[in-house]
Coordinates of all heavy atoms in Angstrom, one line a residue:
M75 N 117.4 -46.3 124.1 CA 116.2 -46.7 124.7 C 115.6 -47.9 124.0 O 115.1 -48.8 124.6 CB 115.2 -45.5 124.7 CG 113.9 -45.8 125.4 SD 114.3 -46.0 127.1 CE 112.6 -46.3 127.7
I76 N 115.7 -47.9 122.7 CA 115.2 -49.0 121.9 C 116.0 -50.3 122.2 O 115.5 -51.4 122.2 CB 115.1 -48.7 120.4 CG1 114.1 -47.6 120.2 CG2 114.9 -49.9 119.6 CD1 114.0 -47.1 118.8
H77 N 117.3 -50.1 122.4 CA 118.2 -51.2 122.7 C 117.7 -51.9 124.0 O 117.7 -53.1 124.1 CB 119.6 -50.8 122.8 CG 120.2 -50.2 121.6 ND1 120.1 -50.8 120.4 CD2 120.8 -49.0 121.3 CE1 120.7 -50.1 119.4 NE2 121.1 -49.0 120.0
L78 N 117.4 -51.1 125.0 CA 116.9 -51.7 126.3 C 115.6 -52.5 126.1 O 115.4 -53.5 126.7 CB 116.7 -50.6 127.3 CG 118.0 -50.0 127.8 CD1 117.7 -48.9 128.8 CD2 118.9 -51.0 128.5
L79 N 114.7 -51.9 125.3 CA 113.4 -52.6 125.0 C 113.7 -53.9 124.3 O 113.0 -54.9 124.6 CB 112.5 -51.7 124.2 CG 111.1 -52.2 123.9 CD1 110.4 -52.3 125.2 CD2 110.4 -51.2 123.0
F80 N 114.6 -53.9 123.3 CA 114.9 -55.1 122.6 C 115.5 -56.1 123.5 O 115.2 -57.3 123.5 CB 115.9 -54.8 121.4 CG 116.4 -56.0 120.7 CD1 115.6 -56.6 119.8 CD2 117.7 -56.5 120.9 CE1 116.0 -57.8 119.2 CE2 118.1 -57.6 120.3 CZ 117.3 -58.2 119.4
L81 N 116.5 -55.7 124.4 CA 117.1 -56.7 125.3 C 116.0 -57.2 126.3 O 116.1 -58.4 126.7 CB 118.2 -56.0 126.1 CG 119.5 -55.7 125.2 CD1 120.5 -54.9 126.1 CD2 120.0 -57.0 124.7
F82 N 115.1 -56.4 126.8 CA 114.1 -56.8 127.7 C 113.2 -57.9 127.0 O 112.8 -58.9 127.6 CB 113.2 -55.6 128.1 CG 112.2 -55.9 129.1 CD1 112.5 -56.1 130.4 CD2 110.8 -56.0 128.8 CE1 111.6 -56.4 131.4 CE2 109.9 -56.3 129.7 CZ 110.2 -56.5 131.0
A83 N 112.8 -57.6 125.7 CA 112.0 -58.6 125.0 C 112.8 -59.9 124.7 O 112.2 -61.0 124.8 CB 111.5 -58.0 123.7
L84 N 114.1 -59.8 124.5 CA 114.9 -60.9 124.2 C 115.0 -61.8 125.5 O 115.0 -63.0 125.5 CB 116.3 -60.5 123.7 CG 117.2 -61.7 123.4 CD1 116.6 -62.5 122.2 CD2 118.6 -61.1 123.0
Y85 N 115.2 -61.1 126.7 CA 115.3 -61.8 127.9 C 114.0 -62.5 128.3 O 114.1 -63.7 128.8 CB 115.6 -60.7 129.0 CG 115.8 -61.4 130.4 CD1 116.9 -62.0 130.7 CD2 114.8 -61.3 131.4 CE1 117.1 -62.6 132.0 CE2 114.9 -61.9 132.6 CZ 116.1 -62.5 132.9 OH 116.2 -63.1 134.1
F86 N 112.9 -61.9 128.0 CA 111.6 -62.6 128.3 C 111.0 -63.3 127.1 O 109.8 -63.6 127.1 CB 110.6 -61.6 128.8 CG 110.9 -61.2 130.3 CD1 111.5 -60.0 130.6 CD2 110.6 -62.1 131.3 CE1 111.7 -59.7 131.9 CE2 110.8 -61.8 132.6 CZ 111.4 -60.6 132.9
L87 N 111.8 -63.7 126.1 CA 111.4 -64.4 125.0 C 110.7 -65.7 125.3 O 109.6 -66.0 124.8 CB 112.5 -64.6 124.0 CG 112.1 -65.3 122.6 CD1 111.2 -64.4 121.9 CD2 113.4 -65.6 121.8
P88 N 111.2 -66.5 126.2 CA 110.5 -67.8 126.6 C 109.1 -67.5 127.1 O 108.2 -68.2 126.8 CB 111.4 -68.4 127.6 CG 112.8 -67.9 127.3 CD 112.6 -66.5 126.8
A89 N 109.0 -66.5 128.0 CA 107.7 -66.1 128.6 C 106.7 -65.6 127.5 O 105.6 -65.9 127.5 CB 107.9 -65.1 129.7
L90 N 107.3 -64.8 126.5 CA 106.4 -64.3 125.4 C 105.9 -65.5 124.6 O 104.8 -65.5 124.1 CB 107.2 -63.3 124.6 CG 107.6 -62.0 125.3 CD1 108.5 -61.1 124.5 CD2 106.3 -61.3 125.7
I91 N 106.8 -66.4 124.3 CA 106.4 -67.6 123.5 C 105.4 -68.4 124.2 O 104.4 -68.8 123.6 CB 107.6 -68.4 123.1 CG1 108.6 -67.7 122.1 CG2 107.2 -69.8 122.5 CD1 109.9 -68.4 121.9
A92 N 105.6 -68.6 125.5 CA 104.6 -69.4 126.3 C 103.2 -68.7 126.3 O 102.2 -69.3 126.2 CB 105.1 -69.7 127.7
G93 N 103.3 -67.4 126.5 CA 102.0 -66.6 126.5 C 101.3 -66.6 125.1 O 100.1 -66.7 125.1
H94 N 102.1 -66.5 124.1 CA 101.5 -66.5 122.7 C 100.9 -67.9 122.4 O 99.9 -68.0 121.7 CB 102.6 -66.2 121.7 CG 102.1 -66.2 120.3 ND1 101.2 -65.2 119.8 CD2 102.3 -67.0 119.3 CE1 100.9 -65.5 118.6 NE2 101.6 -66.6 118.2
R95 N 101.5 -69.0 122.9 CA 101.0 -70.3 122.6 C 99.9 -70.8 123.6 O 99.4 -71.9 123.5 CB 102.2 -71.3 122.6 CG 103.1 -71.1 121.5 CD 104.2 -72.1 121.5 NE 103.6 -73.4 121.2 CZ 104.1 -74.6 121.7 NH1 105.2 -74.6 122.4 NH2 103.6 -75.7 121.3
H96 N 99.6 -69.9 124.6 CA 98.5 -70.2 125.6 C 98.8 -71.5 126.3 O 97.9 -72.3 126.6 CB 97.2 -70.2 124.9 CG 96.8 -69.0 124.2 ND1 96.5 -67.8 124.8 CD2 96.7 -68.7 122.8 CE1 96.2 -66.9 123.9 NE2 96.4 -67.4 122.7
L97 N 100.1 -71.7 126.7 CA 100.4 -72.9 127.5 C 99.9 -72.8 128.9 O 99.8 -71.8 129.5 CB 102.0 -73.0 127.5 CG 102.7 -73.2 126.2 CD1 104.2 -73.3 126.4 CD2 102.2 -74.4 125.4
H98 N 99.6 -74.0 129.4 CA 99.1 -74.1 130.8 C 100.3 -73.8 131.7 O 100.1 -73.3 132.9 CB 98.5 -75.4 131.1 CG 97.3 -75.7 130.4 ND1 96.1 -75.0 130.5 CD2 97.0 -76.7 129.4 CE1 95.2 -75.5 129.8 NE2 95.7 -76.5 129.1
E99 N 101.5 -74.0 131.3 CA 102.7 -73.8 132.1 C 103.3 -72.5 132.0 O 104.4 -72.2 132.4 CB 103.8 -74.9 131.8 CG 103.3 -76.3 131.9 CD 102.8 -76.9 130.6 OE1 102.7 -76.1 129.6 OE2 102.3 -78.0 130.6
R100 N 102.6 -71.5 131.4 CA 103.2 -70.2 131.1 C 103.6 -69.5 132.4 O 104.6 -68.7 132.4 CB 102.3 -69.4 130.3 CG 101.0 -68.9 130.8 CD 100.2 -68.1 129.8 NE 98.9 -67.9 130.3 CZ 97.8 -68.5 129.8 NH1 97.9 -69.4 128.8 NH2 96.6 -68.3 130.3
A101 N 102.9 -69.7 133.5 CA 103.3 -69.0 134.8 C 104.6 -69.6 135.3 O 105.5 -68.9 135.7 CB 102.2 -69.2 135.8
A102 N 104.8 -70.9 135.2 CA 106.0 -71.5 135.6 C 107.2 -71.2 134.7 O 108.3 -70.9 135.2 CB 105.8 -73.1 135.7
I103 N 106.9 -71.1 133.4 CA 108.0 -70.7 132.5 C 108.4 -69.2 132.8 O 109.6 -68.9 132.7 CB 107.5 -70.9 131.1 CG1 107.3 -72.4 130.8 CG2 108.5 -70.3 130.1 CD1 106.7 -72.7 129.4
T104 N 107.4 -68.4 133.0 CA 107.7 -67.0 133.3 C 108.5 -66.8 134.6 O 109.5 -66.1 134.7 CB 106.4 -66.2 133.4 OG1 105.7 -66.3 132.2 CG2 106.7 -64.7 133.7
L105 N 108.2 -67.6 135.6 CA 108.9 -67.5 136.9 C 110.3 -68.1 136.7 O 111.3 -67.5 137.3 CB 108.2 -68.3 138.0 CG 106.9 -67.6 138.5 CD1 106.2 -68.5 139.5 CD2 107.2 -66.3 139.1
L106 N 110.5 -69.2 136.0 CA 111.8 -69.7 135.7 C 112.6 -68.7 135.0 O 113.8 -68.5 135.3 CB 111.7 -71.0 135.0 CG 113.0 -71.7 134.5 CD1 113.8 -72.2 135.7 CD2 112.8 -72.8 133.5
N107 N 112.0 -68.1 134.0 CA 112.7 -67.1 133.2 C 113.1 -65.9 134.1 O 114.2 -65.3 133.9 CB 111.8 -66.7 132.0 CG 112.6 -65.8 131.0 OD1 113.8 -65.9 131.0 ND2 111.8 -65.1 130.3
L108 N 112.2 -65.5 135.0 CA 112.4 -64.3 135.8 C 113.6 -64.5 136.8 O 114.5 -63.7 136.9 CB 111.2 -63.9 136.5 CG 111.2 -62.7 137.4 CD1 111.4 -61.4 136.6 CD2 109.9 -62.6 138.2
F109 N 113.6 -65.7 137.5 CA 114.5 -65.9 138.5 C 115.8 -66.6 138.1 O 116.9 -66.4 138.7 CB 113.9 -66.7 139.6 CG 112.8 -65.9 140.4 CD1 111.5 -66.4 140.3 CD2 113.1 -64.8 141.0 CE1 110.5 -65.7 141.0 CE2 112.1 -64.0 141.7 CZ 110.8 -64.5 141.6
L110 N 115.7 -67.4 137.0 CA 116.9 -68.1 136.6 C 117.4 -67.8 135.2 O 118.3 -68.4 134.6 CB 116.7 -69.6 136.7 CG 116.6 -70.2 138.1 CD1 116.3 -71.7 138.1 CD2 117.8 -69.9 138.9
G111 N 116.7 -66.8 134.6 CA 117.0 -66.5 133.2 C 118.4 -65.8 133.1 O 119.0 -65.8 132.0
W112 N 118.8 -65.1 134.1 CA 120.1 -64.5 134.1 C 121.3 -65.5 134.0 O 122.3 -65.1 133.5 CB 120.3 -63.6 135.3 CG 120.2 -64.3 136.6 CD1 119.1 -64.6 137.3 CD2 121.4 -64.8 137.3 NE1 119.5 -65.3 138.5 CE2 120.9 -65.4 138.5 CE3 122.7 -64.9 137.1 CZ2 121.7 -66.1 139.4 CZ3 123.5 -65.5 138.0 CH2 123.0 -66.1 139.1
T113 N 121.0 -66.7 134.4 CA 122.0 -67.7 134.2 C 121.7 -68.3 132.8 O 120.6 -68.9 132.7 CB 122.0 -68.9 135.3 OG1 120.7 -69.5 135.1 CG2 122.1 -68.3 136.7
F114 N 122.5 -68.2 131.9 CA 122.2 -68.6 130.5 C 121.5 -70.0 130.5 O 120.6 -70.2 129.7 CB 123.4 -68.6 129.7 CG 123.2 -68.9 128.2 CD1 122.5 -68.0 127.4 CD2 123.6 -70.1 127.7 CE1 122.3 -68.2 126.1 CE2 123.4 -70.3 126.4 CZ 122.7 -69.4 125.6
I115 N 121.9 -70.9 131.4 CA 121.3 -72.2 131.4 C 119.8 -72.2 131.7 O 119.0 -72.8 131.0 CB 122.0 -73.1 132.4 CG1 123.5 -73.2 132.1 CG2 121.3 -74.5 132.5 CD1 123.8 -74.0 130.8
G116 N 119.4 -71.3 132.7 CA 118.0 -71.2 133.0 C 117.2 -70.6 131.9 O 116.0 -71.0 131.6
W117 N 117.8 -69.7 131.1 CA 117.1 -69.1 130.0 C 116.9 -70.1 128.9 O 115.8 -70.2 128.3 CB 117.9 -67.9 129.5 CG 117.2 -67.1 128.4 CD1 116.3 -66.1 128.6 CD2 117.4 -67.3 127.0 NE1 115.9 -65.6 127.4 CE2 116.5 -66.3 126.4 CE3 118.1 -68.1 126.2 CZ2 116.4 -66.2 125.0 CZ3 118.0 -68.0 124.8 CH2 117.2 -67.1 124.2
V118 N 117.9 -70.9 128.6 CA 117.8 -71.9 127.6 C 116.8 -73.0 128.0 O 116.0 -73.4 127.1 CB 119.2 -72.6 127.3 CG1 119.1 -73.8 126.4 CG2 120.1 -71.5 126.7
I119 N 116.8 -73.4 129.2 CA 115.8 -74.4 129.7 C 114.4 -73.8 129.5 O 113.4 -74.5 129.0 CB 116.1 -74.8 131.1 CG1 117.3 -75.6 131.2 CG2 114.9 -75.6 131.7 CD1 117.8 -75.9 132.6
A120 N 114.1 -72.5 129.9 CA 112.8 -71.9 129.7 C 112.4 -71.8 128.3 O 111.3 -72.0 127.9 CB 112.8 -70.5 130.4
L121 N 113.4 -71.5 127.4 CA 113.1 -71.4 126.0 C 112.7 -72.7 125.4 O 111.8 -72.9 124.7 CB 114.3 -70.8 125.3 CG 114.1 -70.6 123.8 CD1 113.1 -69.5 123.5 CD2 115.5 -70.2 123.1
I122 N 113.5 -73.8 125.7 CA 113.2 -75.1 125.2 C 111.8 -75.6 125.7 O 111.0 -76.1 125.0 CB 114.3 -76.1 125.6 CG1 115.6 -75.8 124.8 CG2 113.9 -77.5 125.4 CD1 116.8 -76.5 125.3
W123 N 111.5 -75.3 127.0 CA 110.3 -75.7 127.6 C 109.1 -75.0 126.9 O 108.1 -75.6 126.6 CB 110.3 -75.4 129.1 CG 109.1 -75.9 129.9 CD1 108.1 -76.7 129.5 CD2 108.9 -75.6 131.2 NE1 107.3 -77.0 130.5 CE2 107.7 -76.3 131.6 CE3 109.5 -74.8 132.2 CZ2 107.1 -76.2 132.9 CZ3 108.9 -74.7 133.5 CH2 107.8 -75.4 133.8
A124 N 109.3 -73.7 126.6 CA 108.2 -73.0 125.9 C 108.0 -73.4 124.5 O 106.9 -73.4 124.0 CB 108.6 -71.5 125.9
I125 N 109.0 -73.9 123.8 CA 108.9 -74.4 122.5 C 108.4 -75.8 122.4 O 107.6 -76.1 121.5 CB 110.2 -74.2 121.7 CG1 110.6 -72.7 121.6 CG2 110.2 -74.9 120.4 CD1 112.0 -72.5 121.0
V126 N 108.9 -76.7 123.3 CA 108.6 -78.1 123.2 C 107.2 -78.5 123.8 O 106.6 -79.4 123.4 CB 109.7 -78.9 123.8 CG1 109.4 -80.4 123.8 CG2 111.0 -78.7 123.0
A127 N 106.8 -77.7 124.8 CA 105.5 -78.1 125.5 C 104.4 -78.1 124.5 O 104.2 -77.3 123.6 CB 105.2 -77.0 126.5
P128 N 103.5 -79.1 124.6 CA 102.4 -79.2 123.7 C 101.4 -78.1 123.9 O 101.0 -77.9 125.1 CB 101.8 -80.6 124.0 CG 102.2 -80.9 125.3 CD 103.5 -80.2 125.5
S129 N 100.9 -77.5 122.9 CA 99.9 -76.5 123.0 C 98.5 -77.1 123.3 O 98.2 -78.2 122.8 CB 99.8 -75.7 121.7 OG 100.9 -75.0 121.4
P130 N 97.8 -76.4 124.2 CA 96.5 -76.9 124.4 C 95.6 -76.7 123.2 O 95.8 -75.7 122.5 CB 96.0 -76.1 125.6 CG 96.8 -74.8 125.5 CD 98.1 -75.2 125.0
Y131 N 94.7 -77.6 122.9 CA 93.9 -77.5 121.8 C 92.4 -77.5 122.2 O 92.1 -78.0 123.2 CB 94.2 -78.5 120.7 CG 94.0 -79.9 121.3 CD1 92.8 -80.6 121.2 CD2 95.1 -80.6 121.8 CE1 92.6 -81.9 121.7 CE2 94.9 -81.9 122.3 CZ 93.7 -82.5 122.2 OH 93.5 -83.8 122.7
V132 N 91.6 -76.8 121.4 CA 90.2 -76.7 121.7 C 89.5 -77.5 120.6 O 89.8 -77.3 119.4 CB 89.8 -75.3 121.7 CG1 88.3 -75.1 122.0 CG2 90.6 -74.5 122.8
V133 N 88.5 -78.3 121.0 CA 87.7 -79.0 120.0 C 86.4 -78.3 119.9 O 85.7 -78.1 120.9 CB 87.5 -80.5 120.4 CG1 86.6 -81.2 119.5 CG2 88.8 -81.2 120.6
Y134 N 86.1 -77.8 118.7 CA 84.8 -77.1 118.5 C 83.8 -78.1 117.9 O 84.2 -78.8 116.9 CB 85.0 -76.0 117.5 CG 85.8 -74.9 118.1 CD1 87.1 -74.7 117.7 CD2 85.3 -74.0 119.0 CE1 87.9 -73.7 118.2 CE2 86.0 -72.9 119.5 CZ 87.3 -72.8 119.1 OH 88.1 -71.8 119.6
A135 N 82.7 -78.2 118.5 CA 81.6 -79.1 117.9 C 80.6 -78.2 117.2 O 79.7 -77.6 117.9 CB 81.0 -79.9 119.1
H136 N 80.7 -78.2 115.9 CA 79.8 -77.4 115.2 C 78.6 -78.2 114.9 O 78.6 -79.4 114.6 CB 80.5 -76.9 113.8 CG 81.6 -76.0 114.0 ND1 81.4 -74.7 114.4 CD2 82.9 -76.2 113.9 CE1 82.6 -74.1 114.4 NE2 83.5 -75.0 114.2
P137 N 77.4 -77.5 114.8 CA 76.2 -78.3 114.4 C 76.3 -78.7 112.9 O 77.1 -78.1 112.2 CB 75.1 -77.3 114.6 CG 75.7 -75.9 114.6 CD 77.1 -76.1 115.1
T138 N 75.6 -79.7 112.6 CA 75.7 -80.1 111.2 C 75.0 -79.1 110.3 O 74.0 -78.5 110.7 CB 75.0 -81.5 111.0 OG1 73.6 -81.3 111.5 CG2 75.6 -82.6 111.8
Y139 N 75.6 -78.9 109.2 CA 75.1 -77.9 108.2 C 74.8 -78.7 107.0 O 75.5 -79.5 106.6 CB 76.1 -76.8 107.9 CG 76.3 -75.9 109.1 CD1 77.4 -75.9 109.9 CD2 75.3 -74.9 109.4 CE1 77.6 -75.1 111.0 CE2 75.5 -74.1 110.4 CZ 76.6 -74.1 111.2 OH 76.7 -73.3 112.3
P140 N 73.7 -78.4 106.4 CA 72.7 -77.4 106.8 C 71.8 -78.0 107.9 O 71.8 -79.2 108.1 CB 71.9 -77.3 105.5 CG 72.1 -78.5 104.7 CD 73.5 -79.0 105.1
P141 N 71.2 -77.1 108.6 CA 70.4 -77.6 109.8 C 69.1 -78.3 109.4 O 68.4 -78.7 110.3 CB 70.1 -76.4 110.6 CG 70.2 -75.3 109.6 CD 71.2 -75.7 108.6
Y142 N 68.8 -78.4 108.1 CA 67.6 -79.1 107.7 C 68.0 -80.5 107.1 O 69.1 -80.7 106.9 CB 66.8 -78.3 106.7 CG 67.7 -77.7 105.6 CD1 68.0 -78.4 104.5 CD2 68.1 -76.4 105.7 CE1 68.8 -77.9 103.5 CE2 69.0 -75.9 104.7 CZ 69.3 -76.6 103.6 OH 70.1 -76.1 102.6
P143 N 67.0 -81.3 106.9 CA 67.4 -82.7 106.4 C 68.1 -82.5 105.0 O 67.9 -81.6 104.2 CB 66.1 -83.4 106.2 CG 65.1 -82.6 107.0 CD 65.6 -81.2 107.2
P144 N 69.0 -83.4 104.7 CA 69.8 -83.3 103.5 C 69.0 -83.4 102.2 O 69.3 -82.7 101.2 CB 70.8 -84.4 103.5 CG 70.3 -85.3 104.6 CD 69.4 -84.6 105.5
N145 N 67.9 -84.2 102.2 CA 67.0 -84.3 101.0 C 65.6 -84.0 101.4 O 64.8 -84.9 101.6 CB 67.1 -85.7 100.4 CG 68.5 -86.0 99.9 OD1 69.1 -85.1 99.3 ND2 69.0 -87.2 100.1
P146 N 65.3 -82.7 101.5 CA 63.9 -82.4 101.9 C 62.9 -82.8 100.9 O 63.2 -82.8 99.7 CB 63.9 -80.9 102.1 CG 65.0 -80.4 101.2 CD 66.0 -81.5 101.2
Q147 N 61.7 -83.2 101.3 CA 60.6 -83.6 100.4 C 59.9 -82.3 100.0 O 59.2 -81.7 100.9 CB 59.7 -84.6 101.1 CG 60.4 -85.9 101.5 CD 61.0 -86.6 100.2 OE1 60.3 -86.6 99.2 NE2 62.1 -87.2 100.3
Y148 N 60.0 -81.9 98.8 CA 59.3 -80.8 98.3 C 57.9 -81.2 97.9 O 57.7 -82.3 97.5 CB 60.1 -80.1 97.1 CG 61.4 -79.6 97.5 CD1 62.6 -80.2 97.1 CD2 61.5 -78.4 98.3 CE1 63.8 -79.7 97.5 CE2 62.7 -77.9 98.6 CZ 63.9 -78.5 98.2 OH 65.1 -78.0 98.6
P149 N 57.0 -80.2 98.0 CA 55.7 -80.6 97.5 C 55.7 -80.8 96.0 O 56.6 -80.4 95.3 CB 54.8 -79.3 97.8 CG 55.8 -78.2 98.1 CD 57.1 -78.9 98.5
P150 N 54.7 -81.6 95.5 CA 54.7 -81.9 94.1 C 54.5 -80.6 93.2 O 54.0 -79.6 93.7 CB 53.6 -82.9 93.9 CG 52.7 -82.7 95.1 CD 53.6 -82.2 96.2
Y151 N 55.1 -80.7 92.0 CA 54.9 -79.6 91.1 C 53.4 -79.4 90.8 O 52.7 -80.3 90.7 CB 55.7 -79.8 89.8 CG 57.2 -79.7 90.0 CD1 58.0 -80.9 89.8 CD2 57.8 -78.6 90.4 CE1 59.3 -80.8 90.0 CE2 59.2 -78.5 90.5 CZ 60.0 -79.6 90.3 OH 61.3 -79.6 90.5
P152 N 53.1 -78.1 90.5 CA 51.7 -77.9 90.1 C 51.5 -78.5 88.7 O 52.5 -78.8 88.0 CB 51.7 -76.3 90.0 CG 52.8 -75.8 90.8 CD 53.8 -76.9 90.8
P153 N 50.3 -78.8 88.3 CA 50.1 -79.5 87.0 C 50.6 -78.7 85.8 O 51.0 -79.3 84.8 CB 48.6 -79.6 86.9 CG 48.0 -79.1 88.3 CD 49.1 -78.5 89.0
Y154 N 50.7 -77.4 85.8 CA 51.1 -76.7 84.6 C 52.6 -76.8 84.4 O 53.1 -76.4 83.4 CB 50.7 -75.2 84.7 CG 51.1 -74.5 85.9 CD1 52.3 -73.9 86.1 CD2 50.1 -74.4 87.0 CE1 52.6 -73.2 87.2 CE2 50.5 -73.7 88.1 CZ 51.7 -73.1 88.2 OH 52.0 -72.4 89.4
Y155 N 53.4 -77.4 85.3 CA 54.9 -77.6 85.1 C 55.1 -78.9 84.5 O 56.3 -79.2 84.2 CB 55.6 -77.4 86.4 CG 55.9 -76.0 86.8 CD1 55.4 -75.5 88.1 CD2 56.6 -75.1 86.0 CE1 55.7 -74.3 88.5 CE2 56.8 -73.8 86.4 CZ 56.3 -73.4 87.6 OH 56.6 -72.1 88.0
R156 N 54.2 -79.8 84.4 CA 54.4 -81.1 83.9 C 54.3 -81.2 82.4 O 53.8 -80.6 81.7 CB 53.5 -82.1 84.6 CG 53.8 -82.3 86.0 CD 52.9 -83.4 86.6 NE 52.9 -83.2 88.0 CZ 52.2 -83.8 88.8 NH1 51.3 -84.7 88.4 NH2 52.2 -83.6 90.1

């Protein structure tokens, strides 16, 4: 039973890689793998496509830290500190 699970995971390896990398083409890679993966050429093409395709990236715009001015003007020291 474990052998079948391993073979199933190996057969869908290109689809798993595409899903893990959050590729926009993951549906197309999965369909190619599903219908043409049994021909070794289709499986290799799907695998190469899943590995070579550029991953989408997200740009996070964080607010500047600290959120206050970098050199705040503190009140003058009391006279007894001078």
Side-chain angles (χ1 to χ4, degrees):
M75 183 67 177
I76 292 179
H77 299 308
L78 291 176
L79 185 63
F80 175 75
L81 290 176
F82 186 77
L84 184 64
Y85 181 77
F86 283 104
L87 184 65
L90 294 173
I91 291 173
H94 179 71
R95 294 183 64 210
H96 304 288
L97 297 179
H98 294 296
E99 303 92 0
R100 65 182 170 253
I103 293 171
T104 302
L105 289 175
L106 175 69
N107 190 23
L108 181 66
F109 293 117
L110 294 177
W112 61 273
T113 67
F114 184 70
I115 301 295
W117 186 85
V118 170
I119 290 171
L121 182 66
I122 291 172
W123 189 8
I125 292 173
V126 174
S129 295
Y131 56 91
V132 178
V133 176
Y134 293 103
H136 294 287
T138 57
Y139 288 104
Y142 46 83
N145 295 321
Q147 297 298 325
Y148 294 109
Y151 288 115
Y154 51 86
Y155 280 123
R156 293 185 197 171

